[in-house]
Amino acid sequence: MSNLDGFEKIVKDKLQQQQYDYDSSQWNAIEKRLPPPKKGFPWKYIAAASTFTIASILLWQLQNTENQPVKTSDISISALTDSLKITSKESYISNSTKQIDEGIESAIIVDDHALIEMDQTGQIDEPENVDNTIEKVVINQVPVEPLLKDETQEYSNLSEIDKVDPQSSKIARPSAQFTITAKEACVGEKLTFNSLNKLEDTRYNWDFGNGETSENRFPVYSYKVPGIYYVQLKATSTKHEEIINVSDKIAIQINPTPSVDFSWVENTYNAVPTVEFTNLSEHADSWNWNFQNGIISDEKNPIITFKKKGFYQITLTASNVHGCVKISQQELEVVTDYNLLAPNSFTPNADGINDDFIPEALKILNVGFEMTIFDKRGLIYQSRSLSNPWTGENQRDGGFCTQGAYVWIVKYKNQQGIDQIYKGTINLLH
Amino acid sequence: MNLTEKQLQNTIKKSIKKDRKSQELLFKTYYSKMMAVCMRYSRDHDTAQDVCQSGFIKVFEKLEHYNFGGSFEGWLRRIMVNTSIDYIRKSKKELKIIEDESRIETDVFHEDENDNNFVGLPVADVIEAIQQLSPAYKAVFNLYVMEDYSHQEVADALGISQGTSKSNLAKAKKKLRTLLKNKIKYDV
């Protein structure tokens, strides 16, 4: 607050300049009142027991003074002053044991108070204050016992830091803290909500922030609509319905998950038969195809040629920037083998029929290619032109190949620029 | 004496485990500042020392409840302020009795040019004057001026009405001016 007036600022400034030299005797005084370090001897229990005894005697005596005029109770308290001093010193020790009845603690507070009260009434230092007269009257009229009781209640109200709900200190309060497998997830992703409460006898009320709830301790839940949801857990003791802990609302972001689907069209009558796939996915930014023929693709709508007949499991994985992934799989049947429409034999005998070899498809495709022919010992012929089909020539020794089986390999780039490799065998007959 | 943030965290953690040396280090580090708080609420140096001791004992008892998020010094101060007010409350009923708002309007003092004369006063004189205030005035003045509480917060802390907080502040200032003027006379 900055709206202090000039006078207040001057005083504040002065008071902030206060400095006090460290005084080790102060520490010594505190150290005496602190609970002993943990490995202490059972002295504290003996002390606690004696405190208990003294306190209960005291309490008994105080109770007996009820309804009696102030003067007599004054006397009884001053008579006890010495023993009171002892108890209030020891009260710190007994506090550390935490095993004492509540009644004793309040008795100690009462004692403490009684001491100070005695002190203060002896010397009131405000003759100028009009209110003091009233105060004196009040003190003199009220019997000691009710006044002290009043005071102890006030004490517990006053010291905010000390304020402990008496119930919570005795009955264990279930924790409402929890963890979630992820704070950001995809639609449909299973999330496990994990209560950190360790107490039995707890009722769990989960609110998933979309009107849905659960009473499981570790519920598994998945959201169906993208958005931000606020999850809250209420943990209630089943033994004491009023003992409840409610967690903060924890935000979870649910991202859209792609929907994935695809269809295809087969172009069986082209020189190179293809299957054109159409991607029907939504909310996706990237795709991965696996055609189970050794070919994978990350194109959206790939065009693929299957060389062997058979059944293919086509898998499309669609994912988006949130990392949400969905997979779809369908079966495709390829009814015929395809090998560039290459014949499996030729007769290089200059009779005008099947005198040379080149896969028929290359004649239609009109692309650059490389065809190589191998025998058992290696490469014997190579061509990059439709006008140079293999006529049985052996480029390695300049001779002519004998009858037998030879391997051919054709490489070319398709329209998408992807290397296509075909292999086959060709029988050379004379 | 100043600790780095890391040293402080370590010292607090060790103190929670009741390590004497660490407790002593915390006490040494904050003694001057906390004593300054207690002095403002107390009637004399001895009382201030008593309250300050009780405050530190509370600190060591409650240390495990300190969440390392907030300012540790602020946390200490709050305990000292609460201990001081508790002490006043326990020792006197006075806080509840001074609710005479009606007379206040005429008592309100406005800014005084002579206030600047107080700038030259020794710190000790100002503290002494504060200590001479009645416990209720002391509490209201300290919470409002030194702890930056609003009147509503003062009222809540002391269990009085806002009006009483305002009137007590005005009265506290009037009394304080008188006390400080006397100091000037004696000093000159």
Side-chain angles (χ1 to χ4, degrees):
Chain A
M1 207 185 274
S2 55
N3 54 345
L4 296 179
D5 66 32
F7 176 68
E8 289 164 339
K9 278 180 193 155
I10 291 168
V11 176
K12 183 170 189 169
D13 180 49
K14 287 285 171 195
L15 290 176
Q16 281 176 337
Q17 292 172 31
Q18 291 180 88
Q19 283 200 331
Y20 295 93
D21 290 337
Y22 179 64
D23 177 358
S24 62
S25 73
Q26 289 299 305
W27 171 249
N28 294 338
I30 286 183
E31 197 174 11
K32 277 180 200 157
R33 292 166 66 185
L34 283 174
K38 282 185 176 172
K39 284 172 187 170
F41 201 62
W43 278 115
K44 55 181 179 181
Y45 295 107
I46 297 164
S50 64
T51 313
F52 182 90
T53 324
I54 296 166
S56 19
I57 293 167
L58 236 151
L59 197 63
W60 177 79
Q61 287 197 342
L62 284 172
Q63 274 163 355
N64 281 351
T65 60
E66 209 170 356
N67 297 330
Q68 298 221 347
V70 176
K71 277 189 178 175
T72 41
S73 62
D74 268 353
I75 292 161
S76 75
I77 289 178
S78 37
L80 280 164
T81 304
D82 283 348
S83 60
L84 279 171
K85 274 180 182 156
I86 298 163
T87 53
S88 58
K89 266 183 194 164
E90 285 176 352
S91 71
Y92 290 97
I93 301 165
S94 57
N95 276 344
S96 72
T97 68
K98 286 189 177 170
Q99 293 171 346
I100 328 142
D101 202 29
E102 237 188 356
I104 299 155
E105 288 214 23
S106 55
I108 288 163
I109 294 163
V110 170
D111 303 342
D112 216 11
H113 168 80
L115 267 177
I116 296 154
E117 192 73 36
M118 295 279 297
D119 255 20
Q120 298 289 322
T121 44
Q123 34 164 315
I124 294 161
D125 53 5
E126 301 288 334
E128 175 251 17
N129 195 327
V130 196
D131 307 314
N132 273 338
T133 47
I134 307 166
E135 187 191 30
K136 276 177 196 162
V137 173
V138 169
I139 289 175
N140 288 339
Q141 279 176 347
V142 180
V144 169
E145 171 64 6
L147 177 75
L148 293 180
K149 260 188 180 171
D150 184 30
E151 227 17 79
T152 54
Q153 279 164 6
E154 225 175 282
Y155 184 79
S156 60
N157 285 338
L158 248 178
S159 42
E160 291 161 13
I161 294 152
D162 284 346
K163 205 190 275 176
V164 178
D165 181 356
Q167 278 179 325
S168 69
S169 61
K170 283 190 176 167
I171 302 164
R173 182 182 287 269
S175 163
Q177 284 186 305
F178 61 89
T179 59
I180 315 173
T181 40
K183 280 195 171 175
E184 189 176 344
C186 306
V187 166
E189 185 176 340
K190 281 183 181 170
L191 292 172
T192 304
F193 297 79
N194 193 355
S195 161
L196 298 180
N197 179 39
K198 292 193 174 71
L199 298 177
E200 301 297 321
D201 304 317
T202 304
R203 195 170 67 242
Y204 301 88
N205 290 98
W206 295 89
D207 180 349
F208 295 119
N210 58 353
E212 300 217 31
T213 59
S214 169
E215 292 191 0
N216 281 340
R217 187 170 176 184
F218 308 115
V220 177
Y221 183 74
S222 54
Y223 289 86
K224 295 171 189 69
V225 182
I228 292 175
Y229 298 93
Y230 295 91
V231 181
Q232 195 171 36
L233 171 61
K234 186 170 88 174
T236 311
S237 166
T238 51
K239 282 187 173 171
H240 302 274
E241 289 288 331
E242 68 280 6
I243 306 292
I244 295 172
N245 245 343
V246 179
S247 73
D248 291 338
K249 291 192 169 181
I250 306 298
I252 308 184
Q253 185 177 337
I254 301 298
N255 295 316
T257 296
S259 68
V260 60
D261 192 15
F262 60 93
S263 65
W264 62 82
V265 178
E266 293 177 64
N267 304 305
T268 323
Y269 303 105
N270 289 355
V272 178
T274 55
V275 180
E276 286 181 29
F277 291 92
T278 306
N279 196 328
L280 303 172
S281 305
E282 286 173 1
H283 306 299
D285 305 304
S286 62
W287 303 271
N288 272 293
W289 296 86
N290 189 334
F291 301 103
Q292 224 192 19
N293 60 352
I295 295 176
I296 55 170
S297 169
D298 56 8
E299 285 178 82
K300 188 175 183 187
N301 298 303
I303 300 170
I304 302 296
T305 298
F306 292 85
K307 297 169 191 168
K308 298 284 180 203
K309 69 176 179 185
F311 293 93
Y312 293 85
Q313 299 296 332
I314 312 296
T315 309
L316 170 59
T317 306
S319 48
N320 60 22
V321 287
H322 306 297
C324 297
V325 175
K326 198 148 186 198
I327 298 173
S328 171
Q329 197 171 58
Q330 295 184 57
E331 196 179 66
L332 167 73
E333 188 186 4
V334 174
V335 284
T336 50
D337 287 339
Y338 174 76
N339 211 359
L340 288 178
L341 306 174
N344 51 25
S345 66
F346 76 115
T347 51
N349 53 12
D351 63 355
I353 306 158
N354 293 335
D355 281 344
D356 50 29
F357 166 79
I358 196 159
E360 289 300 309
L362 291 179
K363 295 177 185 169
I364 307 159
L365 276 174
N366 192 24
V367 292
F369 67 92
E370 180 189 89
M371 178 177 75
T372 44
I373 312 288
F374 296 84
D375 69 3
K376 287 168 191 163
R377 290 164 53 207
L379 184 105
I380 52 170
Y381 187 80
Q382 191 169 34
S383 169
R384 290 191 173 85
S385 163
L386 287 172
S387 55
N388 292 323
W390 186 41
T391 56
E393 182 190 357
N394 183 339
Q395 289 177 332
R396 190 173 55 212
D397 59 13
F400 204 79
C401 290
T402 56
Q403 189 165 300
Y406 296 83
V407 170
W408 61 267
I409 296 175
V410 169
K411 291 181 190 172
Y412 70 91
K413 287 188 192 298
N414 69 4
Q415 285 172 333
Q416 287 85 35
I418 297 167
D419 279 329
Q420 304 290 310
I421 300 172
Y422 288 85
K423 289 178 191 173
T425 52
I426 178 71
N427 285 309
L428 192 158
L429 307 170
H430 286 297
Chain B
M1 192 179 334
N2 280 312
L3 299 173
T4 66
E5 194 57 28
K6 207 173 174 185
Q7 287 172 326
L8 177 61
Q9 307 276 313
N10 267 337
T11 312
I12 294 173
K13 277 173 195 161
K14 280 194 200 157
S15 297
I16 290 173
K17 291 175 186 155
K18 313 259 188 264
D19 177 60
R20 272 293 134 81
K21 283 271 173 272
S22 302
Q23 289 175 331
E24 187 176 0
L25 181 59
L26 281 185
F27 179 75
K28 262 188 190 173
T29 309
Y30 292 102
Y31 175 79
S32 176
K33 280 175 177 166
M34 296 307 133
M35 190 56 190
V37 174
C38 296
M39 278 293 274
R40 304 198 296 258
Y41 289 88
S42 306
R43 111 176 91 83
D44 53 45
H45 189 269
D46 283 354
T47 318
Q49 279 192 335
D50 279 355
V51 174
C52 200
Q53 279 181 19
S54 300
F56 267 105
I57 284 167
K58 242 186 221 176
V59 164
F60 291 126
E61 281 174 355
K62 306 286 174 195
L63 202 52
E64 52 188 319
H65 299 298
Y66 167 67
N67 69 341
F68 286 80
S71 145
F72 183 66
E73 199 187 306
W75 188 76
L76 285 187
R77 257 173 86 105
R78 241 172 35 239
I79 292 184
M80 293 301 159
V81 169
N82 282 338
T83 310
S84 298
I85 292 174
D86 280 358
Y87 190 89
I88 293 174
R89 283 256 233 163
K90 275 202 285 181
S91 56
K92 300 223 169 186
K93 279 280 183 182
E94 206 156 347
L95 277 173
K96 288 195 168 175
I97 304 169
I98 40 165
E99 299 194 30
D100 50 347
E101 293 161 48
S102 51
R103 292 196 293 114
I104 291 317
E105 306 309 324
T106 51
D107 282 351
V108 174
F109 255 61
H110 296 289
E111 293 272 38
D112 189 333
E113 284 177 9
N114 295 328
D115 283 346
N116 283 331
N117 294 338
F118 302 138
V119 175
L121 277 174
V123 175
D125 280 355
V126 181
I127 295 161
E128 214 180 299
I130 286 277
Q131 291 185 330
Q132 281 171 352
L133 292 175
S134 82
Y137 291 175
K138 238 183 291 195
V140 173
F141 184 90
N142 271 315
L143 290 178
Y144 185 84
V145 176
M146 301 307 293
E147 306 299 337
D148 295 332
Y149 279 33
S150 68
H151 279 301
Q152 184 59 56
E153 288 169 321
V154 174
D156 292 345
L158 300 178
I160 58 179
S161 74
Q162 255 199 79
T164 307
S165 170
K166 282 181 192 165
S167 67
N168 276 306
L169 180 67
K171 286 202 225 163
K173 280 156 71 179
K174 182 187 171 190
K175 174 80 177 160
L176 200 54
R177 274 199 175 90
T178 316
L179 290 166
L180 290 176
K181 271 177 196 159
N182 287 336
K183 298 278 179 198
I184 292 177
K185 273 181 212 154
Y186 293 132
D187 279 351
V188 169

